[in-house]
Amino acid sequence: IHSETGKKDADDILEKCKRFMSEPVTDVQVLQKNKEEMRTKMEMMILQTQAEFCKALAEVDGGTFQVDRWDRKEGGGGISCVLQDSNIFEKAGVNVSVVFGHLPEEAAQQMRSRGKSLKSKDGKLPFCAMGVSSVIHPKNPHIPTIHFNYRYFEIEEADGSKLWWFGGGTDLTPTYLNKEDAVHFHKTLKEACDKHDRKLYPKFKKWCDNYFFIKHRGERRGVGGIFFDDLDSPTKEDVFDFVRSCAKAVVPCYIPIVKKHLNDSFTSEEKQWQQLRRGRYVEFNLVYDRGTKFGLATPESRIESILMSLPLTARWEYMHEPPKGTKEAEMLQVLRNPKDWAQ
Amino acid sequence: IHSETGKKDADDILEKCKRFMSEPVTDVQVLQKNKEEMRTKMEMMILQTQAEFCKALAEVDGGTFQVDRWDRKEGGGGISCVLQDSNIFEKAGVNVSVVFGHLPEEAAQQMRSRGKSLKSKDGKLPFCAMGVSSVIHPKNPHIPTIHFNYRYFEIEEADGSKLWWFGGGTDLTPTYLNKEDAVHFHKTLKEACDKHDRKLYPKFKKWCDNYFFIKHRGERRGVGGIFFDDLDSPTKEDVFDFVRSCAKAVVPCYIPIVKKHLNDSFTSEEKQWQQLRRGRYVEFNLVYDRGTKFGLATPESRIESILMSLPLTARWEYMHEPPKGTKEAEMLQVLRNPKDWAQ
């Protein structure tokens, strides 16, 4: 009976792989053999998230994603899916990476937001890191930009003990404030969180507002969402279930908003304001984002997959300040004073 | 006789001020009283450089610079001159700042490229920093972008001893390689340097190639020029004379190139390649430039004057690589392997 279940699970993996954007990064037979391990469960989950989101976006857009598989010298690789200058989307990137090898101590330290020190052998730590990340920049300024990222880390210390943790989040960056959209987005995230623990959403909503902060402007990047890092309790299975719920929520969070505004008309002034907000997006990602900075500083990283998050076009105007009472000023107001949307 | 000369010098300062973009940051009477001090000489020099460059640019463009005076809470202020979305220039910014007060030790340390430690009283160091800096982004992709910056620092240590140094440089960022322009630019800089010491140009040319390096791309930002920091020998007067020669060279370095290409026709493909190169310019400035990073991290700094250097518009395309044998590939080749242009 046990081997029967084993075979069924293995078939299940094979069946799921058929629906992915590309073959898994890890060899399918290895995944089948280690189907009980978190590495396998997480790789399957991020590939499924990538496939479901790409499919939903392609259906709305009518275009076809470019799919690039890439290898990393030291170990692992990734699958980058990009839709550029298409019908609805200016740039839509959905990236999966599964990498492993040995991390220098400083780099490992940088990966954690907590300052807990890691004990290595000869300054090197065996590690495995995997995640799905995505940024979608639509053409229409009434369709907001979405970003999400869900990731899993394992690090082995000198004494053989294994550390693991999850991180991630989903956040929305509108060009113009649409309260209904912000409420829908946050409520969908809250629902996904509440199934696991009602303390999670408020905590991670606040963390998100603090993280996506463009300090030199005194503005948040967008209307937030959820953000968390270093999550390792109560159990690995519990955290995974929570992360899976969050990843599952991406499509219902975003696609209804895209569909709703698909045919909204817009002026060249609205397009220009979108371009200025894109400039701020670039400022956040290049100056503050830990993931981007970590990626750019990592030797042999795939720069094109890291900078996929940047918009196709952006704009910087000297001394731009929208006049009081305008829709642009209303948006800035919320970026300067984040609100509770899920109440 | 001494007071006669004194009066003449004071009148001279008044006369010079008439030609500036705005009144000096420091009160004119204070400048007249301290006319022998380096602070005064340098402030006069940077204001003159700003005025001469703005005038030359405005004459070519036909537009009028917006002139903004700003104050800094702790001490000093600046004058920002900007020409935006004008006839020839997409964004032309020429900024002067003269600031003083007390620097936290870490900040003072960051201002030096050498690791020499500074001894402070209570962790604070009285300082004075002034400089002129400029970035000019033209609309026509056949007119290159220029950047220059000349600056002077004074810091007082706990024992009352005063440290001073100069820094600066001028560099060119073309969208397309024009060898004649690169040679003219570098030869003009070399001439300015050679008058003082023939060792300077080769040293500062190399420093420039190393500094304006977009590490994650393996590309320089442009075809270089000169760059130096922490310059404090042989004497204060000697270094000032050298820096003044460099600043004087900005107009003859750049304006002939602008005039030469003023009426060059260009295609939308050439404009698009310019936009991609502008994206790389943003990457360098936000990820690597020490001045920008220092500015963004400094409380109460004037963000608009710091980010004036960013282009009006920029573009990021996923996996863009120009085909072999194209003018775009020729440009990249030089950015990857800097050449000697002044030989």
Side-chain angles (χ1 to χ4, degrees), chain A residues 115-135:
Chain A
K116 207 177 153 196
S117 79
L118 302 161
K119 278 156 214 94
S120 72
K121 229 186 277 181
D122 327 317
K124 293 274 187 177
L125 295 145
F127 85 106
C128 168
M130 58 179 77
V132 56
S133 68
S134 173
V135 178

Side-chain angles (χ1 to χ4, degrees), chain A residues 68 84 91 316 318-319, chain B residues 68 84 91 304 316 318:
Chain A
D68 291 322
Q84 188 171 269
K91 200 144 125 199
W316 283 269
Y318 175 69
M319 297 284 275
Chain B
D68 290 322
Q84 187 171 271
K91 197 144 127 202
E304 289 296 335
W316 283 268
Y318 175 69

Side-chain angles (χ1 to χ4, degrees), chain B residues 105-113 229 290 293-294 297-298:
Chain B
E105 239 173 280
E106 317 86 73
Q109 222 66 52
Q110 259 202 314
M111 285 165 68
R112 291 177 75 87
S113 69
D229 205 354
R290 287 205 306 144
K293 286 168 83 169
F294 177 77
T298 303

Side-chain angles (χ1 to χ4, degrees), chain A residues 129-159:
Chain A
M130 58 179 77
V132 56
S133 68
S134 173
V135 178
I136 312 298
H137 295 291
K139 288 182 169 176
N140 191 318
H142 299 300
I143 310 178
T145 288
I146 192 180
H147 158 253
F148 74 87
N149 166 235
Y150 291 96
R151 54 194 182 274
Y152 171 64
F153 291 100
E154 281 181 8
I155 283 191
E156 196 181 320
E157 289 192 280
D159 62 2

Side-chain angles (χ1 to χ4, degrees), chain B residues 19-255:
Chain B
R19 276 165 275 151
F20 293 163
M21 298 302 282
S22 173
E23 271 179 51
V25 177
T26 305
D27 197 277
V28 176
Q29 284 170 308
V30 175
L31 291 174
Q32 287 175 323
K33 203 181 123 209
N34 305 319
K35 58 188 182 303
E36 298 302 327
E37 282 183 19
M38 184 51 73
R39 291 188 184 198
T40 301
K41 289 183 192 175
M42 186 67 180
E43 183 169 343
M44 293 298 289
M45 194 277 269
I46 59 183
L47 285 164
Q48 194 174 335
T49 302
Q50 180 184 47
E52 284 173 3
F53 195 46
C54 284
K55 237 163 267 181
L57 293 168
E59 198 187 280
V60 168
D61 184 274
T64 308
F65 272 88
Q66 173 182 345
V67 179
D68 290 322
R69 285 183 67 93
W70 47 273
D71 291 314
R72 187 172 161 275
K73 257 189 205 166
E74 209 206 338
I79 300 152
S80 296
C81 300
V82 179
L83 193 61
Q84 187 171 271
D85 205 2
S86 196
N87 300 306
I88 303 301
F89 301 109
E90 185 181 292
K91 197 144 127 202
V94 192
N95 190 52
V96 153
S97 69
V98 178
V99 303
F100 49 86
H102 290 78
L103 266 192
E105 239 173 280
E106 317 86 73
Q109 222 66 52
Q110 259 202 314
M111 285 165 68
R112 291 177 75 87
S113 69
R114 287 185 302 217
K116 209 178 153 193
S117 80
L118 302 160
K119 278 155 213 93
S120 72
K121 230 185 277 180
D122 326 319
K124 292 272 187 180
L125 295 144
F127 86 107
C128 169
M130 57 178 77
V132 55
S133 68
S134 173
V135 177
I136 312 299
H137 295 291
K139 289 184 168 175
N140 191 318
H142 299 300
I143 311 179
T145 288
I146 192 179
H147 158 255
F148 73 88
N149 167 233
Y150 291 97
R151 54 193 183 274
Y152 172 64
F153 291 99
E154 282 181 8
I155 283 192
E156 196 181 320
E157 288 191 278
D159 61 2
S161 65
K162 274 184 184 167
L163 273 177
W164 59 267
W165 70 91
F166 290 87
T170 304
D171 66 280
L172 198 72
T173 305
T175 294
Y176 288 101
L177 182 65
N178 181 305
K179 287 175 191 169
E180 224 178 58
D181 293 349
V183 168
H184 162 80
F185 187 79
H186 275 271
K187 281 200 167 160
T188 309
L189 286 172
K190 186 174 183 298
E191 249 173 60
C193 294
D194 283 356
K195 275 189 276 179
H196 301 270
D197 184 339
R198 293 181 65 89
K199 274 178 254 154
L200 297 177
Y201 172 79
K203 190 178 161 190
F204 297 160
K205 190 272 182 198
K206 204 175 160 188
W207 199 339
C208 189
D209 285 335
N210 291 336
Y211 181 79
F212 292 103
F213 184 53
I214 308 170
K215 205 182 164 196
H216 61 268
R217 300 281 191 183
E219 297 168 6
R220 269 100 216 140
R221 189 173 75 173
V223 296
I226 55 169
F227 182 89
F228 57 90
D229 205 354
D230 281 332
L231 208 60
D232 60 2
S233 70
T235 72
K236 206 187 266 188
E237 285 298 327
D238 284 326
V239 183
F240 176 67
D241 286 345
F242 164 67
V243 169
R244 185 169 49 190
S245 291
C246 293
K248 271 265 172 240
V250 169
V251 169
C253 266
Y254 188 55
I255 301 297

